[in-house]
Amino acid sequence: MGDFKNELSIDSVLIHGGIDGDETTGAVSVPVYQTSTYKQDGLGKDRGWEYSRTGNPTRAALEKLIADLEQGSYGLAFASGLAAINTVLSLFKSGDKLVVSDNIYGGTFRILDNVFNNFGITYEIVDTSDLAAVEAAITDEVKAVYVESPANPLLTVTDIEAVAKITKKTGKLLIVDNTFLTPYLQRPLTLGADIVIHSGTKYLGGHSDTISGFVVVDDKALADRLYYLQNAIGGVLAPWDSFLVIRGIKTLGVRMDRHVENAKKIAEWLAASNYVSKVYYPGLKSDPGYETQKKQADGPGAMISFVLDQKYDHRKFFESLHLVTLAESLGGVESLVCHPASMTHAAIPKDVREKVGIVDELIRLSVGIENAEDLIKDLEQAIKASAR
Ligand SMILES: *Cc1c(COP(=O)(O)O)cnc(C)c1O
């Protein structure tokens, strides 16, 4: 960004960050450069673009934008969050080990357990909110700590700055999946993380219409290696999808404000009710992650998990909802509810799942930007309808 842009607050960077419009025509929106290749003027004389797996102007505008938002120097866009994770995990080699948060996105667990494990890259699951446990897990073969905060689906908060102190001291990489909060609420690179990962499918796109993923780093050598892997592995984001995510990001600030406002109301309502035996939400003062969350982020996000009281049948609850939709995914404008044990986290063996608290009665709610009272009314009628 130009110098004056460095002074802008994130509300303005969302709209004017990255490449702002089209320099050639003045088009206010970055055009969709729907092309696979580019004319070269002679051997070795390209105009900065060679082939769209390697680079595409629409994708490049988005990559610059996500880097600006995360306050990193380099951004990379992928066809999905998992394509981004695949590329980051490809930094490691046989014999390397990762220390991983104990409740993470199920697909992240799956790719570690059933793909990279086959290549001799191992992992150890640790409660990363417990700093002593993180420190104890660091051995020679450990090359990185992989954290989700708040984690999926129990919203466990890890003190990113404190873990970064441990990884810096021991020469390991700190990787943070920032999907649940987005750079609008949390910027892990500024807290000492080395690599930030996103599923852009969620809040960044924001409209449940596009699958995408991101990686952002600040270190040049690390960026060069990641760009190499991005091109070598090839899981890049298409031009049209890049356009859609740029469009989504423009309204991220106003959406997140409403998401969080609604989530706070719903979490407080749930916690004060007799309907649930537990509410997980780092925006509640009673939540163990509340203070750390407040210290390291600009808001608690809009993901809430809760355990329905035994008086209610969770299967019936899902079937009784009218406004809130039962579906995988999160972070869209519409409220979505899911059953982690059988949906997002089904890839995790039952004993591992239950040990960390992902019980069968656990319900995960992605609070949308509808009217909060309408959402509460719908949740309440569905809970009442599910009484045993
Ligand atoms: C959805 C999600 C992913 C995977 O992203 P896809 O875009 O579905 O591939 C990774 N991490 C978190 C926290 C997610 O919610």
Side-chain angles (χ1 to χ4, degrees):
M1 289 205 285
D3 277 349
F4 97 93
K5 282 193 173 180
N6 290 333
E7 311 286 309
L8 296 178
S9 83
I10 192 154
D11 300 302
S12 305
V13 179
L14 288 167
I15 294 153
H16 297 288
I19 313 261
D20 192 8
D22 185 40
E23 277 155 23
T24 340
T25 62
V28 170
S29 301
V30 177
V32 181
Y33 284 92
Q34 192 69 46
T35 188
S36 62
T37 191
Y38 307 83
K39 179 178 187 226
Q40 305 194 8
D41 297 323
L43 287 181
K45 285 193 245 170
D46 63 57
R47 302 180 197 177
W49 307 96
E50 294 166 2
Y51 186 60
S52 278
R53 169 162 34 74
T54 318
N56 173 280
T58 316
R59 193 178 92 221
L62 173 59
E63 290 179 325
K64 183 92 181 55
L65 174 59
I66 190 71
D68 287 348
L69 290 170
E70 285 288 1
Q71 296 182 24
S73 302
Y74 308 95
L76 300 93
F78 297 89
S80 69
L82 273 163
I85 292 167
N86 182 8
T87 303
V88 168
L89 293 179
S90 301
L91 289 167
F92 304 104
K93 57 182 195 312
S94 177
D96 291 351
K97 184 174 173 184
L98 282 90
V99 169
V100 180
S101 290
D102 70 352
N103 57 105
I104 50 168
Y105 179 69
T108 307
F109 175 81
R110 179 173 53 206
I111 196 172
L112 281 165
D113 189 55
N114 224 354
V115 181
F116 281 88
N117 218 4
N118 298 337
F119 303 141
I121 296 164
T122 56
Y123 64 90
E124 180 176 342
I125 291 180
V126 163
D127 174 3
T128 52
S129 68
D130 177 352
L131 297 171
V134 175
E135 201 138 21
I138 304 267
T139 55
D140 275 355
E141 58 281 19
V142 169
K143 294 294 180 291
V145 176
Y146 189 111
V147 167
E148 246 179 68
S149 185
N152 188 352
L154 297 175
L155 293 317
T156 317
V157 177
T158 291
D159 186 332
I160 297 172
E161 205 165 14
V163 173
K165 281 204 182 106
I166 298 172
T167 53
K168 284 213 158 58
K169 190 176 71 187
T170 49
K172 316 296 182 191
L173 288 173
L174 175 57
I175 305 166
V176 176
D177 183 331
N178 200 28
T179 300
F180 273 25
L181 291 185
T182 82
Y184 185 70
L185 297 179
Q186 176 171 275
R187 290 158 300 278
L189 294 179
T190 68
L191 300 168
D194 300 290
I195 301 177
V196 173
I197 290 177
H198 281 282
S199 167
T201 311
K202 316 297 167 54
Y203 293 101
L204 293 174
H207 296 74
S208 305
D209 54 11
T210 316
I211 303 280
S212 67
F214 297 96
V215 174
V216 184
V217 298
D218 204 36
D219 178 76
K220 170 83 166 67
L222 196 51
D224 286 347
R225 183 81 189 124
L226 286 164
Y227 283 124
Y228 179 88
L229 290 169
Q230 180 190 37
N231 184 50
I233 297 170
V236 295
L237 192 63
W240 174 248
D241 291 320
S242 299
F243 170 85
L244 283 175
V245 181
I246 293 172
R247 180 183 160 109
I249 286 176
K250 287 185 197 292
T251 57
L252 180 68
V254 288
R255 283 189 286 111
M256 287 314 283
D257 286 347
R258 173 70 84 86
H259 277 297
V260 172
E261 185 188 318
N262 281 359
K264 281 182 177 164
K265 285 184 190 160
I266 291 172
E268 274 158 22
W269 167 75
L270 274 173
S273 79
N274 296 321
Y275 300 137
V276 295
S277 58
K278 194 151 179 69
V279 180
Y280 298 93
Y281 182 62
L284 289 174
K285 280 209 177 75
S286 55
D287 192 276
Y290 179 80
E291 289 300 333
T292 307
Q293 181 67 15
K294 219 170 130 184
K295 179 185 77 166
Q296 69 186 3
D298 297 329
M303 297 300 298
I304 301 171
S305 289
F306 57 92
V307 179
L308 263 190
D309 190 272
Q310 288 183 351
K311 301 191 291 283
Y312 306 98
D313 174 351
H314 67 274
R315 289 179 179 278
K316 214 155 169 200
F317 165 77
F318 287 120
E319 286 164 15
S320 306
L321 289 162
H322 301 311
L323 181 61
V324 179
T325 307
L326 173 63
E328 304 246 4
S329 201
L330 60 107
V333 290
E334 58 287 287
S335 294
L336 299 179
V337 76
C338 94
H339 182 235
S342 70
M343 295 166 75
T344 49
H345 291 70
I348 303 178
K350 192 174 162 79
D351 56 323
V352 180
R353 235 191 319 110
E354 297 206 325
K355 208 162 67 189
V356 298
I358 308 172
V359 295
D360 282 348
E361 296 73 27
L362 185 77
I363 292 166
R364 190 191 76 182
L365 177 63
S366 168
V367 179
I369 63 171
E370 300 96 335
N371 177 280
E373 276 65 46
D374 287 346
L375 292 171
I376 289 174
K377 245 190 262 171
D378 189 43
L379 292 167
E380 185 158 41
Q381 68 78 22
I383 294 172
K384 284 183 171 161
S386 71
R388 289 184 200 276

